[in-house]
Amino acid sequence: MPLKSYGLEGVVAAESELSCIDGEKGILEYRGYDVHKLAKNSSFEEVAFLLWYGYLPKKKEFEKFKNDLRNRREVPEEIVELLKLLPSTTHPMIALRTAISFLSSFDERLEDYSEERNMERSKRLLAVFPTIVAYFDRIRNGKEVIPPDPHLNHTANFLYMLRGERAGEIETRVLDLDFLLHAEHTMNASTFTARISASTLADMYSGIVAAIATLMGPLHGGASQKVMEMLLEIGEVDNVEGYVKRALAAGERIMGFGHRVYKVMDPRAIELRKLAQELGEYTGDLTWYEISEKLREVVYREKGLHPNVDFYSASIYANLGIPVDMFVCMFAIARVAGWTAHMIEQYRDNRLIRPLQRYVGRKNLKYIPLEDR
Ligand code: SDX
């Protein structure tokens, strides 16, 4: 008889105050604030503060918080040297995972689990993810790295370090909202990985390295790269119908569609769809948005599935000129806010996470000595 909770479907694995989802109604809230309201009024840095501290900051404390992040963007020279050692063909998520693992060697008080120390680590990790991703892309393309600019906000600084020039206001706002919408999402696979790691009292870097590794899978954060590869293969709107019918007939998954929890359209996809259109109109290239819209219509008609968070993100990153193999790094740059917040929640009231299994193998076998086998 199949295991009802296969893939832990329907199993409540933790209690959390960080975010909640209503999958039937398509509602997502961060600390009680609906993401549609946050997308309209907030920013990625403000949402990081909200997730970590549980309330929206006042002006002065927000300015201090943003400065705290700005002052933590640099990485040790050894990290740059490490990134130079990696083959240029290394996947950027592997570069990020490796660099974060190395970064833990520079934390002299790794055994200090105090909340104060872990909050410091959370700020450090959030601040350096963009630096590491941008540095690796510059290095693998044979370019000089561009140090962070303390005059720019988190997202504008990332685009500056990546491109070597300041991005426009619309591009910065669209990517910042993309990060805001990717920041946190209850007990998804990579967040659960981070909590399991924290529950053993492993250090925060170890949990984040494990979460980066988990996010990379194409059924999770890796989907956005697969969505782009699909859009490139389809090429134009007229090819969508045939592509979908062939893929579904072959039993393939259409990347960027479906979700374990949402039974209606992912509220983040609703916001990202608007941003993909706005950015496409700004850049004058609506190709990927138009193919996406046709895919949304056909996949819903053929399979009753809705787009998830990774679907329209692909069009946004493509129009920002982000390399396709770095799409999932955008997800990681955002989700490190949620991962660190969940780890802090786990450390605060910890119990080792250790589920049961149902054994379905053979039992009570007689041992046959080697010479008699
Ligand atoms: C993220 O958990 C989170 O919150 C994750 C995330 C976050 O913010 O952290 O939201 C981010 O990971 C979004 C998901 C990105 N992944 C993809 O886009 C990959 C494609 N999607 C699927 O593989 C799938 O929808 C999952 C993995 C997302 C969810 O799968 P489930 O809940 O395990 O559902 P299932 O595999 O049991 O499928 C149920 C039915 C099946 O049909 P039948 O075999 O019963 O006829 O729906 C079908 C599936 O074949 N189905 C799909 C499909 N997704 C589900 N069919 C075609 N294409 C798809 N994408």
Side-chain angles (χ1 to χ4, degrees), residues 142-201:
K143 297 178 187 165
E144 286 302 309
V145 299
I146 295 174
D149 180 341
H151 301 100
L152 297 175
N153 74 22
H154 190 78
T155 304
N157 175 59
F158 168 65
L159 289 171
Y160 167 70
M161 292 189 294
L162 190 66
R163 297 175 174 175
E165 59 187 29
R166 292 189 173 197
E169 187 278 328
I170 289 184
E171 291 183 301
T172 302
R173 182 170 51 80
V174 167
L175 186 57
D176 194 71
L177 289 176
D178 175 271
F179 287 162
L180 182 155
L181 293 161
H182 280 83
E184 158 61 14
H185 206 242
T186 74
M187 209 46 60
N188 59 86
S190 54
T191 295
F192 189 42
T193 300
R195 285 198 80 132
I196 291 172
S197 183
S199 82
T200 71
L201 295 186

Coordinates of all heavy atoms in Angstrom, one line a residue, residues 142-201:
G142 N 36.7 36.1 -17.6 CA 38.0 36.7 -17.8 C 38.0 38.2 -17.5 O 38.9 39.0 -17.9
K143 N 37.0 38.7 -16.7 CA 37.0 40.1 -16.4 C 37.4 40.4 -14.9 O 37.3 39.4 -14.1 CB 35.5 40.6 -16.5 CG 35.0 40.5 -18.0 CD 33.6 41.0 -18.0 CE 32.9 40.8 -19.4 NZ 31.5 40.9 -19.3
E144 N 37.8 41.6 -14.6 CA 38.1 42.0 -13.3 C 36.9 42.0 -12.4 O 35.8 42.5 -12.9 CB 38.8 43.4 -13.3 CG 40.2 43.4 -13.8 CD 41.2 42.5 -13.0 OE1 41.2 42.7 -11.8 OE2 41.8 41.7 -13.6
V145 N 37.0 41.7 -11.2 CA 35.8 41.8 -10.3 C 35.6 43.3 -10.0 O 36.5 44.1 -10.0 CB 36.0 41.0 -9.0 CG1 36.2 39.5 -9.3 CG2 37.1 41.5 -8.1
I146 N 34.3 43.6 -9.7 CA 34.0 45.0 -9.4 C 33.5 45.1 -8.0 O 32.5 44.5 -7.6 CB 32.9 45.5 -10.4 CG1 33.5 45.5 -11.8 CG2 32.4 46.9 -10.0 CD1 32.6 45.8 -12.9
P147 N 34.3 45.7 -7.1 CA 33.9 45.7 -5.7 C 32.6 46.4 -5.4 O 32.1 47.2 -6.3 CB 35.0 46.6 -5.0 CG 36.1 46.6 -6.0 CD 35.5 46.5 -7.4
P148 N 31.9 46.0 -4.4 CA 30.6 46.6 -4.1 C 30.6 48.1 -4.0 O 31.6 48.7 -3.6 CB 30.2 46.0 -2.7 CG 31.1 44.8 -2.5 CD 32.4 45.1 -3.3
D149 N 29.5 48.7 -4.3 CA 29.3 50.2 -4.2 C 28.4 50.5 -3.0 O 27.2 50.2 -3.1 CB 28.7 50.7 -5.5 CG 28.6 52.3 -5.5 OD1 28.6 52.8 -4.3 OD2 28.4 52.9 -6.5
P150 N 29.0 51.1 -2.0 CA 28.2 51.3 -0.8 C 27.1 52.3 -0.9 O 26.2 52.5 -0.1 CB 29.2 51.8 0.3 CG 30.3 52.3 -0.6 CD 30.4 51.5 -1.8
H151 N 27.1 53.0 -2.1 CA 26.0 54.0 -2.3 C 24.8 53.4 -2.9 O 23.7 54.1 -3.1 CB 26.5 55.1 -3.2 CG 27.7 55.8 -2.7 ND1 29.0 55.5 -3.1 CD2 27.9 56.7 -1.7 CE1 29.9 56.2 -2.4 NE2 29.2 57.0 -1.5
L152 N 24.9 52.1 -3.3 CA 23.7 51.5 -4.0 C 23.0 50.5 -3.0 O 23.6 49.9 -2.2 CB 24.2 50.7 -5.2 CG 24.9 51.6 -6.3 CD1 25.5 50.6 -7.4 CD2 23.9 52.6 -6.9
N153 N 21.7 50.4 -3.2 CA 21.0 49.4 -2.4 C 21.4 48.0 -2.8 O 22.1 47.8 -3.8 CB 19.4 49.6 -2.5 CG 18.8 49.2 -3.8 OD1 19.4 48.3 -4.5 ND2 17.7 49.7 -4.1
H154 N 20.8 47.0 -2.1 CA 21.3 45.6 -2.3 C 21.2 45.1 -3.7 O 22.1 44.6 -4.3 CB 20.3 44.7 -1.4 CG 20.7 43.3 -1.2 ND1 21.8 42.9 -0.4 CD2 20.3 42.2 -1.8 CE1 21.9 41.6 -0.5 NE2 21.0 41.1 -1.3
T155 N 20.0 45.4 -4.3 CA 19.8 44.9 -5.7 C 20.5 45.7 -6.7 O 21.2 45.1 -7.6 CB 18.3 44.9 -6.0 OG1 17.6 44.1 -4.9 CG2 18.0 44.3 -7.3
A156 N 20.5 47.0 -6.6 CA 21.2 47.8 -7.5 C 22.7 47.5 -7.5 O 23.4 47.5 -8.5 CB 21.0 49.3 -7.2
N157 N 23.2 47.3 -6.3 CA 24.7 46.9 -6.1 C 25.0 45.6 -6.8 O 26.0 45.5 -7.5 CB 25.0 46.8 -4.7 CG 26.5 46.4 -4.5 OD1 27.4 47.0 -5.0 ND2 26.6 45.2 -3.8
F158 N 24.1 44.6 -6.7 CA 24.3 43.3 -7.4 C 24.5 43.6 -8.9 O 25.4 43.1 -9.6 CB 23.2 42.3 -7.1 CG 23.2 41.1 -8.0 CD1 24.3 40.2 -7.9 CD2 22.3 40.9 -8.9 CE1 24.4 39.1 -8.7 CE2 22.3 39.8 -9.8 CZ 23.4 38.9 -9.7
L159 N 23.5 44.3 -9.5 CA 23.5 44.5 -11.0 C 24.8 45.3 -11.3 O 25.4 45.0 -12.4 CB 22.3 45.2 -11.4 CG 21.0 44.4 -11.4 CD1 19.7 45.2 -11.6 CD2 21.1 43.2 -12.4
Y160 N 25.2 46.2 -10.5 CA 26.4 47.0 -10.7 C 27.7 46.1 -10.7 O 28.5 46.1 -11.7 CB 26.5 48.1 -9.7 CG 27.9 48.8 -9.7 CD1 28.3 49.6 -10.7 CD2 28.8 48.5 -8.6 CE1 29.6 50.2 -10.7 CE2 30.0 49.1 -8.6 CZ 30.4 49.9 -9.6 OH 31.7 50.5 -9.6
M161 N 27.8 45.2 -9.7 CA 28.9 44.3 -9.6 C 29.0 43.3 -10.8 O 30.0 42.9 -11.3 CB 28.9 43.6 -8.3 CG 29.2 44.4 -7.1 SD 29.4 43.4 -5.6 CE 27.7 42.6 -5.5
L162 N 27.8 43.0 -11.3 CA 27.7 42.0 -12.4 C 28.0 42.7 -13.7 O 28.8 42.1 -14.5 CB 26.2 41.5 -12.4 CG 26.0 40.3 -13.3 CD1 26.7 39.0 -12.8 CD2 24.4 40.0 -13.4
R163 N 27.5 43.9 -13.9 CA 27.6 44.5 -15.3 C 28.8 45.5 -15.4 O 29.3 45.8 -16.5 CB 26.4 45.3 -15.6 CG 25.1 44.4 -15.7 CD 23.9 45.3 -15.9 NE 22.7 44.6 -16.1 CZ 21.5 45.2 -16.2 NH1 21.5 46.5 -16.1 NH2 20.4 44.5 -16.5
G164 N 29.2 46.1 -14.3 CA 30.2 47.1 -14.3 C 29.7 48.5 -14.6 O 30.4 49.5 -14.8
E165 N 28.4 48.6 -14.6 CA 27.7 49.9 -14.8 C 26.4 49.9 -14.0 O 25.8 48.8 -13.7 CB 27.5 50.2 -16.2 CG 26.6 49.2 -16.9 CD 26.5 49.4 -18.4 OE1 27.4 50.0 -19.0 OE2 25.4 49.1 -19.0
R166 N 25.9 51.1 -13.7 CA 24.6 51.1 -12.9 C 23.4 50.8 -13.7 O 23.3 51.2 -14.9 CB 24.5 52.5 -12.3 CG 25.6 52.8 -11.2 CD 25.4 54.0 -10.5 NE 26.3 54.1 -9.4 CZ 26.2 55.0 -8.4 NH1 25.1 55.8 -8.3 NH2 27.1 55.0 -7.4
A167 N 22.5 50.0 -13.2 CA 21.3 49.6 -13.9 C 20.3 50.7 -13.8 O 20.4 51.6 -12.9 CB 20.8 48.3 -13.3
G168 N 19.3 50.7 -14.7 CA 18.2 51.6 -14.7 C 17.3 51.4 -13.5 O 17.3 50.3 -12.9
E169 N 16.5 52.4 -13.2 CA 15.5 52.3 -12.0 C 14.5 51.2 -12.2 O 14.3 50.4 -11.3 CB 14.8 53.7 -11.9 CG 13.9 53.8 -10.7 CD 12.6 53.1 -10.8 OE1 12.1 53.1 -11.9 OE2 12.0 52.6 -9.8
I170 N 14.0 51.0 -13.4 CA 13.0 49.9 -13.6 C 13.6 48.6 -13.5 O 13.1 47.7 -12.8 CB 12.3 50.1 -15.1 CG1 11.4 51.3 -15.1 CG2 11.5 48.8 -15.4 CD1 10.6 51.5 -16.4
E171 N 14.8 48.4 -14.1 CA 15.5 47.1 -13.9 C 15.7 46.7 -12.5 O 15.5 45.6 -12.0 CB 16.8 47.1 -14.7 CG 16.7 47.1 -16.2 CD 18.0 47.1 -16.8 OE1 18.8 48.0 -16.5 OE2 18.3 46.2 -17.6
T172 N 16.2 47.7 -11.7 CA 16.5 47.5 -10.3 C 15.3 47.2 -9.5 O 15.2 46.2 -8.7 CB 17.2 48.8 -9.7 OG1 18.4 49.0 -10.5 CG2 17.6 48.5 -8.3
R173 N 14.2 47.9 -9.8 CA 13.0 47.7 -9.0 C 12.4 46.3 -9.3 O 11.9 45.6 -8.5 CB 11.9 48.8 -9.3 CG 10.6 48.6 -8.5 CD 9.7 49.8 -8.7 NE 9.5 50.2 -10.1 CZ 8.7 49.5 -10.9 NH1 7.9 48.5 -10.4 NH2 8.5 49.9 -12.2
V174 N 12.4 45.9 -10.6 CA 11.8 44.6 -11.0 C 12.6 43.5 -10.3 O 12.0 42.6 -9.7 CB 11.8 44.5 -12.5 CG1 11.5 43.0 -12.9 CG2 10.8 45.4 -13.2
L175 N 13.9 43.6 -10.4 CA 14.7 42.5 -9.8 C 14.6 42.5 -8.2 O 14.5 41.5 -7.6 CB 16.2 42.6 -10.1 CG 17.1 41.4 -9.7 CD1 16.6 40.1 -10.2 CD2 18.6 41.7 -10.1
D176 N 14.5 43.7 -7.7 CA 14.3 43.8 -6.2 C 13.0 43.1 -5.8 O 12.9 42.4 -4.8 CB 14.3 45.3 -5.8 CG 14.5 45.4 -4.2 OD1 15.6 45.1 -3.7 OD2 13.5 45.7 -3.6
L177 N 11.9 43.4 -6.6 CA 10.6 42.7 -6.3 C 10.7 41.2 -6.5 O 10.1 40.4 -5.8 CB 9.5 43.4 -7.1 CG 9.2 44.8 -6.6 CD1 8.1 45.4 -7.5 CD2 8.7 44.8 -5.2
D178 N 11.5 40.8 -7.5 CA 11.6 39.4 -7.8 C 12.3 38.8 -6.5 O 11.9 37.7 -6.0 CB 12.5 39.2 -9.0 CG 12.9 37.7 -9.2 OD1 13.9 37.3 -8.7 OD2 12.1 37.0 -9.9
F179 N 13.3 39.4 -6.0 CA 14.0 38.9 -4.7 C 13.0 38.9 -3.6 O 12.9 37.9 -2.8 CB 15.2 39.8 -4.4 CG 16.4 39.7 -5.3 CD1 17.3 40.7 -5.2 CD2 16.5 38.6 -6.1 CE1 18.5 40.6 -6.1 CE2 17.7 38.5 -6.9 CZ 18.6 39.5 -6.9
L180 N 12.2 40.0 -3.5 CA 11.2 40.0 -2.4 C 10.2 38.8 -2.5 O 9.9 38.2 -1.5 CB 10.4 41.4 -2.5 CG 9.4 41.7 -1.5 CD1 9.2 43.2 -1.3 CD2 8.0 41.0 -1.8
L181 N 9.8 38.5 -3.7 CA 8.8 37.5 -3.9 C 9.4 36.1 -3.7 O 8.7 35.1 -3.5 CB 8.2 37.6 -5.3 CG 7.3 38.8 -5.4 CD1 7.1 39.2 -6.9 CD2 6.0 38.6 -4.7
H182 N 10.7 36.0 -3.8 CA 11.4 34.7 -3.6 C 12.0 34.5 -2.2 O 12.6 33.4 -1.9 CB 12.6 34.5 -4.6 CG 12.2 34.2 -6.0 ND1 11.8 35.1 -6.9 CD2 12.3 33.0 -6.6 CE1 11.6 34.5 -8.1 NE2 11.8 33.2 -7.9
A183 N 11.8 35.5 -1.3 CA 12.5 35.5 -0.1 C 12.2 34.4 0.9 O 13.1 33.9 1.6 CB 12.3 36.8 0.6
E184 N 10.9 33.9 0.9 CA 10.5 33.0 2.0 C 9.3 32.2 1.5 O 8.4 32.8 0.8 CB 10.2 33.8 3.3 CG 9.3 33.2 4.3 CD 9.8 31.8 4.8 OE1 11.0 31.5 4.7 OE2 9.0 31.1 5.4
H185 N 9.2 30.9 1.9 CA 8.0 30.2 1.4 C 7.7 29.0 2.2 O 7.6 27.8 1.7 CB 8.2 29.8 -0.1 CG 6.8 29.7 -0.8 ND1 6.4 28.5 -1.3 CD2 5.8 30.5 -0.9 CE1 5.2 28.6 -1.8 NE2 4.8 29.9 -1.6
T186 N 7.6 29.1 3.5 CA 7.3 28.0 4.5 C 8.2 26.8 4.3 O 9.4 27.0 4.2 CB 5.8 27.6 4.5 OG1 5.5 26.8 3.3 CG2 4.8 28.8 4.5
M187 N 7.7 25.6 4.3 CA 8.6 24.5 4.5 C 8.9 23.8 3.1 O 8.7 22.6 2.9 CB 7.9 23.4 5.4 CG 8.9 22.6 6.2 SD 10.2 23.4 7.0 CE 9.4 24.6 8.1
N188 N 9.5 24.6 2.2 CA 9.9 24.1 0.9 C 11.2 23.2 1.2 O 11.8 23.3 2.2 CB 10.2 25.2 0.0 CG 11.2 26.2 0.5 OD1 12.4 25.9 0.4 ND2 10.8 27.2 1.3
A189 N 11.6 22.5 0.2 CA 12.7 21.5 0.3 C 14.0 22.1 0.8 O 14.6 21.6 1.8 CB 12.9 20.8 -1.0
S190 N 14.4 23.2 0.3 CA 15.7 23.8 0.7 C 15.6 24.4 2.1 O 16.5 24.3 2.9 CB 16.2 24.9 -0.3 OG 15.2 25.9 -0.5
T191 N 14.5 25.0 2.5 CA 14.3 25.5 3.8 C 14.2 24.4 4.8 O 14.8 24.4 5.9 CB 13.0 26.4 3.9 OG1 13.2 27.5 3.0 CG2 12.7 26.8 5.3
F192 N 13.5 23.3 4.5 CA 13.5 22.1 5.4 C 14.9 21.6 5.6 O 15.2 21.2 6.7 CB 12.5 21.1 4.8 CG 12.2 19.9 5.7 CD1 11.9 20.1 7.0 CD2 12.2 18.6 5.2 CE1 11.6 19.1 7.9 CE2 11.9 17.6 6.0 CZ 11.6 17.8 7.4
T193 N 15.7 21.5 4.5 CA 17.1 21.1 4.6 C 17.8 21.9 5.7 O 18.5 21.4 6.5 CB 17.8 21.2 3.3 OG1 17.1 20.4 2.3 CG2 19.2 20.8 3.4
A194 N 17.6 23.2 5.6 CA 18.3 24.1 6.5 C 17.9 23.9 7.9 O 18.7 23.9 8.9 CB 18.1 25.6 6.1
R195 N 16.6 23.6 8.1 CA 16.1 23.4 9.5 C 16.6 22.1 10.0 O 16.9 22.0 11.2 CB 14.5 23.5 9.5 CG 14.0 24.9 9.4 CD 12.6 25.1 9.8 NE 12.4 25.1 11.3 CZ 11.7 26.1 11.9 NH1 11.1 27.0 11.2 NH2 11.6 26.1 13.2
I196 N 16.6 21.1 9.2 CA 17.1 19.8 9.6 C 18.6 19.9 10.1 O 19.0 19.5 11.2 CB 17.1 18.7 8.5 CG1 15.6 18.3 8.2 CG2 17.9 17.5 8.9 CD1 15.5 17.5 7.0
S197 N 19.3 20.7 9.3 CA 20.8 20.9 9.7 C 20.9 21.7 11.0 O 21.6 21.3 11.9 CB 21.4 21.7 8.5 OG 22.7 21.9 8.8
A198 N 20.0 22.7 11.1 CA 20.1 23.5 12.4 C 19.7 22.6 13.6 O 20.2 22.7 14.7 CB 19.1 24.7 12.3
S199 N 18.8 21.7 13.3 CA 18.2 20.8 14.4 C 19.3 19.9 15.0 O 19.2 19.4 16.1 CB 17.0 20.0 14.0 OG 17.5 18.8 13.3
T200 N 20.4 19.7 14.2 CA 21.5 18.9 14.7 C 22.5 19.8 15.5 O 23.5 19.3 16.0 CB 22.3 18.1 13.6 OG1 23.0 19.1 12.8 CG2 21.3 17.4 12.7
L201 N 22.3 21.1 15.4 CA 23.2 22.1 16.0 C 24.4 22.2 15.1 O 25.5 22.7 15.6 CB 23.5 21.9 17.4 CG 22.3 22.0 18.4 CD1 22.8 21.9 19.9 CD2 21.5 23.3 18.2

